[in-house]
Amino acid sequence: MRFAGRQVLSIADFTRDEIVHVLTVASQVEQRGRGALFSGKLMATLFFEPSTRTRLSFEAAMLHQGGQVMGFSDAASTSTKKGESLADTIRMVEQYVDVIVMRHPRDGAARLAAEVSRVPVINGGDGANQHPSQTFLDLYTIAKLFPALLTGDRQLTVAFAGDLKYGRTVHSLVSALCHFKVKILLTAPAGLELPQQYLDECAAAGLPVEIASGLPEAIAASDVLYMTRLQEERFPDPVEFDHIKASYRVNAAMLRSAKPELRILHPLPRINEIATDVDFTPHAHYFPQAGNGIPVRQALVGLVLGVL
Ligand code: CP
């Protein structure tokens, strides 16, 4: 298994064994705590789109291990504003650093960057396409909660709710779950259903996929409920958006029908889809999930830098 120098562009580029190796290394790094793994190493964080967790947790992952970080979180302050191409920007940055983390609004931008970069590029999210480091941390979180994900002792039911059409974290996670023994439940507003290509991937992997009648069924039937944000800009009619928003909102009262072990995940940011009263139930797990970003991103960075 070779990771040094590798590009992290899509979860589809990783085999099951490689995914499990990343999760194992993340667990070792988490147990070891802070150190100097990345001493003398420099990361560039190039964020052409807003981010809180991805950028800051990559930066914290680096700084907690003695590495250094440079970059930008507002492309308007860079020469992109003057018309410099993405390829030329990468051709410059790759000469300055050891690893690049990039988020970009265009599908495929990370792959383009990787084609012109000598150093590893980690995709921090490209358009509606992929967000692989989020997927590794989602899998790490599920495996910590439910070791059966890796042992295959029983079939977990993972439900996805919300915008399944444009949610890149959903696309990446569904693809990754095809390597494991899970059943998938889906519930999405009309027009925002999971694209056919991901249903085809599940079918090819032999994963059972069912459409839930709505959030109540998904809550009652699942071990993991993966909520996503509904994006208002996708709805031409604000009245329709308000109606759908109300039907894709979980609150504490709705969780009375849940299994005791149900855990709710969300890549965050949440807007309206999880009421704050859920935060005080044992089912809420989205903040620890975000915390898992540190060891998982340390594992990815360490592996591609060849220091783990
Ligand atoms: N989960 C996630 O990608 O969050 P950010 O957009 O804040 O990075």
Side-chain angles (χ1 to χ4, degrees):
M1 222 176 288
R2 195 177 164 276
F3 279 92
R6 192 153 169 187
Q7 313 288 352
V8 182
L9 306 179
S10 166
I11 199 73
D13 298 336
F14 292 84
T15 65
R16 183 190 197 281
D17 284 352
E18 288 171 337
I19 290 172
V20 171
H21 184 63
V22 172
L23 305 189
T24 305
V25 172
S27 175
Q28 290 163 352
V29 168
E30 184 170 20
Q31 281 164 33
R32 206 185 298 168
R34 295 190 191 198
L37 263 177
F38 304 146
S39 174
K41 301 291 185 189
L42 179 58
M43 168 187 283
T45 51
L46 313 182
F47 277 66
F48 294 86
E49 257 196 345
S51 166
T52 298
R53 278 145 293 274
T54 307
R55 184 172 66 83
L56 295 181
S57 66
F58 265 113
E59 294 187 359
M62 202 66 186
L63 296 170
H64 287 180
Q65 291 293 344
Q68 291 179 296
V69 182
M70 57 174 257
F72 55 81
S73 55
D74 178 8
S77 68
T78 73
S79 289
T80 304
K81 186 80 177 163
K82 301 179 212 159
E84 185 167 48
S85 69
L86 175 62
D88 283 359
T89 302
I90 299 298
R91 285 187 183 106
M92 296 300 105
V93 175
E94 62 114 23
Q95 299 183 63
Y96 309 152
V97 301
D98 302 292
V99 58
I100 295 171
V101 178
M102 187 180 86
R103 172 171 289 186
H104 199 281
R106 266 205 336 264
D107 291 26
R111 206 165 282 282
L112 188 153
E115 278 167 12
V116 296
S117 175
R118 184 185 39 92
V119 302
V121 173
I122 301 179
N123 182 6
D126 60 329
N129 187 32
Q130 284 273 327
H131 192 352
S133 68
Q134 177 72 42
T135 306
F136 279 112
L137 87 83
D138 291 341
L139 290 170
Y140 185 69
T141 303
I142 297 171
K144 267 175 100 173
L145 290 166
F146 300 100
L149 180 76
L150 302 184
T151 62
D153 287 348
R154 76 175 176 95
Q155 185 178 58
L156 297 176
T157 299
V158 180
F160 291 87
D163 176 357
L164 309 187
K165 181 174 182 182
Y166 296 105
R168 59 191 170 202
T169 62
V170 172
H171 301 164
S172 294
L173 184 54
V174 168
S175 293
L177 287 173
C178 287
H179 293 292
F180 301 96
K181 187 175 163 185
V182 298
K183 176 174 149 183
I184 305 272
L185 262 182
L186 304 170
T187 178
L192 294 180
E193 293 94 350
L194 191 68
Q196 188 62 39
Q197 75 180 88
Y198 299 102
L199 295 174
D200 292 344
E201 271 186 47
C202 291
L207 234 62
V209 177
E210 289 179 13
I211 308 299
S213 54
L215 258 183
E217 186 190 340
I219 288 168
S222 54
D223 299 297
V224 174
L225 173 60
Y226 195 92
M227 294 292 299
T228 60
R229 177 168 68 94
L230 289 179
Q231 294 167 53
E232 190 163 4
E233 62 276 18
R234 310 284 186 203
F235 290 81
D237 178 355
V239 175
E240 190 201 7
F241 176 72
D242 284 343
H243 175 70
I244 289 174
K245 190 173 73 176
S247 64
Y248 279 87
R249 179 176 163 86
V250 182
N251 61 37
M254 292 166 74
L255 296 172
R256 287 192 200 115
S257 63
K259 300 181 198 175
E261 63 268 29
L262 169 73
R263 291 296 175 270
I264 300 175
L265 304 186
H266 191 308
L268 303 176
R270 76 164 149 193
I271 309 300
N272 294 298
E273 56 282 358
I274 302 178
T276 51
D277 62 2
V278 174
D279 299 357
F280 307 102
T281 72
H283 302 291
H285 205 72
Y286 24 91
F287 294 122
Q289 175 191 4
N292 287 333
I294 301 278
V296 168
R297 289 176 169 131
Q298 281 172 338
L300 281 174
V301 173
L303 285 165
V304 300
L305 287 177
V307 299
L308 280 172

